[in-house]
Amino acid sequence: MSQQDSNHATRAALRQAFDDMIQGFQEARDAIDDPALYPPPPSDRNLAEGYRYVLGFMLAGIERALGDPLYPRFRRAIQPMNRSTIDNADAVYLGVEIDGNYSYRIRGRAADSRHWRGEPAAPGRTAPQYVIFELASGYAGDSGELSEMTPGTRINTGTLDSTALQVAEDGSFDILVAPEKPDGYKGNFLLSRRSSRGVEHVGRFLTCRELFHDWENQDLLDLEILRIGCEQEPRPPIDPEAALQMLREVGRVARNQVHFWNAFNAITLETYGQVPGGLSERMGLDKPFMPVNDMNPPNALGLATGGGQSSNIYAGGTYLLDDDQALIIETRTPVEPHFLGFHLANLWGESLDFESYPSNINAHFVETDPDGARRWVVCHRDPGVANWVSTTGVPHGYTSMRWTYPEPPPKEEWPQLKVTLVAFDAISEHLPHARRVGPGERAAQRLLRHRHVQRRYRQY
């Protein structure tokens, strides 16, 4: 083939791959309003948020496709521009593709981290409340099919959290990621290749969750990841075959992720009603797994509910409130968790705007009642009391609670949870000890949120 003919063939193949990517975007778009693809009810706001949601997965697909497992770098897997999967509004989700057949070294630095070891935190800037690294053999949702939820299909090959992380006095640490732990090695380690149920799994996607309680003082980690030996092997330039793969990957990720999570929300979580053979039936519940104006019992389902954080106990449900209604969410924790947060999300699974609204309140900010219980009030308008969690005007959405336990307590000492539907005008009657909060304090809270979100998601 002549050079000219080769150029023509390359150009045609790349144009086709680009068209395939656009087709993937269109199929992702279809999931916004095609009833066969399980979208939320088609209100004006749900439709508008659905288009933003799809754009977020397009962005995620582009970032992932441009990555290179042999020359990785951490990026934000979830951020305000692409929230999804009922994400934790108190978290930074960092992610990076690797090839677990190789070895890597993570280097990091944390501000004062004494609280990771149960010691009192120092005044001023400190490390995040809790950090966990998890290396998975696949990325949840990539297949576009719920069959990927079959036990053993995807596993964590290694986990390491801040309670076990060895940190030097200056806040520095390093983590070896490798298929085998070297003899005599005693440092921080993540296994990147592991057998389960007779199948060898290779770590492909490394996540780092940084969870925040004190939004004013807790700050991000500094992190880098390098494949061991990368300095000896300059990265080769992109060629047509790699460009073809990159373009198709962008469309595949966007399409499959949107289709998977729609089906996951409707069928696995039973957001819109019970499903034969669904989680509620398997757990012996008499209501959908995500009940309306209620929450499911605290559980540690993790991979069974989309690959959540392995050290979390979860509870979730949906709220469906009129303007004159409110939910009171109450929890008691016989064993205090390392992190506790309560959050709202829309029916696409996007956390609600947590920069301009108090749509989440964690254990640092929630005010505890004299009886030792923590109580949040969920409603559309400001009731003038502390612990108000705003729906931002979304009439129907998700509630979620996360309790983080690196070592889960005995089942009899798990968190307790109670949800009560009340009239808006009766909130004070049900929360007699709630402190009154005026417009000035709300404005100060919003400013703190704006500043923290800018710092948490800084791009420089």
Side-chain angles (χ1 to χ4, degrees):
M1 180 184 294
S2 70
Q3 184 63 50
Q4 184 177 16
D5 288 343
S6 176
N7 290 346
H8 280 305
T10 297
R11 182 173 63 180
L14 287 168
R15 288 181 68 90
Q16 182 60 56
F18 190 91
D19 290 344
D20 292 344
M21 177 184 71
I22 299 301
Q23 179 61 34
F25 291 165
Q26 291 172 331
E27 292 180 14
R29 185 272 322 273
D30 291 342
I32 297 171
D33 55 18
D34 183 345
L37 297 175
Y38 311 106
S43 69
D44 285 354
R45 182 159 177 175
N46 281 347
L47 290 168
E49 292 181 336
Y51 275 87
R52 178 186 63 197
Y53 176 69
V54 168
L55 285 172
F57 277 117
M58 291 164 62
L59 171 64
I62 291 169
E63 290 190 331
R64 287 179 57 190
L66 288 171
D68 185 337
L70 298 187
Y71 300 87
R73 62 178 66 91
F74 282 106
R75 68 172 193 283
R76 293 178 180 86
I78 295 176
Q79 55 187 314
M81 287 88 75
N82 67 331
R83 303 190 302 273
S84 60
T85 68
I86 318 181
D87 53 297
N88 182 349
D90 286 298
V92 159
Y93 294 80
L94 300 177
V96 60
E97 287 81 8
I98 70 166
D99 182 341
N101 293 302
Y102 295 84
S103 297
Y104 299 79
R105 191 171 299 279
I106 300 168
R107 287 186 171 89
R109 186 177 296 274
D112 190 293
S113 61
R114 279 177 280 185
H115 56 287
W116 290 355
R117 296 174 290 280
E119 302 170 18
R125 290 278 187 244
T126 67
Q129 178 69 19
Y130 176 81
V131 172
I132 185 168
F133 295 88
E134 297 176 288
L135 180 53
S137 61
Y139 196 106
D142 267 2
S143 70
E145 303 290 340
L146 291 180
S147 58
E148 73 173 58
M149 305 285 291
T150 303
T153 301
R154 183 179 66 252
I155 70 166
N156 284 342
T157 62
T159 64
L160 177 67
D161 77 356
S162 48
T163 67
L165 188 67
Q166 301 171 39
V167 182
E169 287 188 8
D170 65 355
S172 63
F173 60 87
D174 65 76
I175 304 168
L176 175 64
V177 183
E180 296 179 359
K181 189 173 184 178
D183 290 341
Y185 182 81
K186 298 185 183 303
N188 297 310
F189 182 73
L190 277 170
L191 186 66
S192 65
R193 197 167 58 199
R194 183 163 68 88
S195 293
S196 176
R197 303 181 183 219
V199 176
E200 184 175 72
H201 295 268
V202 176
R204 299 293 182 185
F205 192 74
L206 175 65
T207 60
C208 172
R209 288 175 171 91
E210 302 179 35
L211 310 186
F212 297 88
H213 267 174
D214 182 351
W215 284 26
E216 187 170 11
N217 293 304
Q218 291 178 345
D219 212 347
L220 297 163
L221 303 176
D222 290 328
L223 289 172
E224 71 172 33
I225 180 170
L226 293 171
R227 177 174 55 85
I228 294 175
C230 69
E231 70 278 10
Q232 305 297 332
E233 304 168 9
R235 177 166 30 200
I238 192 169
D239 59 18
E241 186 57 39
L244 289 169
Q245 181 179 346
M246 176 182 68
L247 291 166
R248 290 175 178 140
E249 178 73 358
V250 174
R252 184 189 71 84
V253 166
R255 185 264 182 206
N256 286 358
Q257 286 285 325
V258 175
H259 283 229
F260 174 87
W261 291 107
N262 271 16
F264 176 85
N265 292 342
I267 297 173
T268 303
L269 296 187
E270 301 179 309
T271 298
Y272 311 111
Q274 285 184 285
V275 175
L279 277 174
S280 61
E281 183 177 300
R282 282 181 270 164
M283 295 179 67
L285 304 176
D286 60 0
K287 61 186 72 173
F289 182 70
M290 286 288 192
V292 177
N293 291 335
D294 200 356
M295 296 176 72
N296 50 49
N299 62 81
L301 294 179
L303 287 173
T305 51
Q309 183 180 313
S310 60
S311 56
N312 273 354
I313 291 175
Y314 290 94
T318 66
Y319 69 87
L320 180 58
L321 299 172
D322 295 332
D323 197 50
D324 60 354
Q325 294 178 310
L327 285 183
I328 294 176
I329 314 293
E330 174 185 320
T331 187
R332 298 171 187 269
T333 51
V335 178
E336 191 65 9
H338 284 244
F339 168 86
L340 166 59
F342 177 71
H343 318 89
L344 301 183
N346 65 17
L347 292 178
W348 297 105
E350 296 177 305
S351 58
L352 299 185
D353 181 350
F354 51 80
E355 184 174 6
S356 292
Y357 300 86
S359 63
N360 71 297
I361 300 180
N362 64 45
H364 177 78
F365 292 108
V366 71
E367 298 189 8
T368 304
D369 285 340
D371 64 356
R374 296 177 171 108
R375 294 181 176 90
W376 296 258
V377 55
V378 178
C379 49
H380 300 308
R381 49 196 168 103
D382 189 348
V385 298
N387 300 350
W388 170 46
V389 183
S390 172
T391 67
T392 77
V394 173
H396 186 192
Y398 287 111
T399 58
S400 62
M401 188 86 77
R402 291 166 167 89
W403 302 267
T404 298
Y405 292 102
E407 294 292 334
K411 197 71 177 282
E412 62 271 16
E413 296 183 7
W414 275 28
Q416 302 158 13
L417 184 64
K418 179 182 177 183
V419 181
T420 307
L421 178 66
V422 303
F424 182 87
D425 292 340
I427 289 173
S428 295
E429 176 186 335
H430 288 271
L431 300 174
H433 302 287
R435 184 175 61 83
R436 302 299 301 178
V437 174
E441 185 171 346
R442 292 289 191 222
Q445 292 171 350
R446 280 194 297 274
L447 181 57
L448 185 152
R449 285 174 173 269
H450 280 290
R451 286 176 168 166
H452 170 77
V453 170
Q454 289 231 3
R455 195 169 73 250
R456 195 200 303 182
Y457 297 104
R458 57 184 177 259
Q459 298 289 341
Y460 54 87

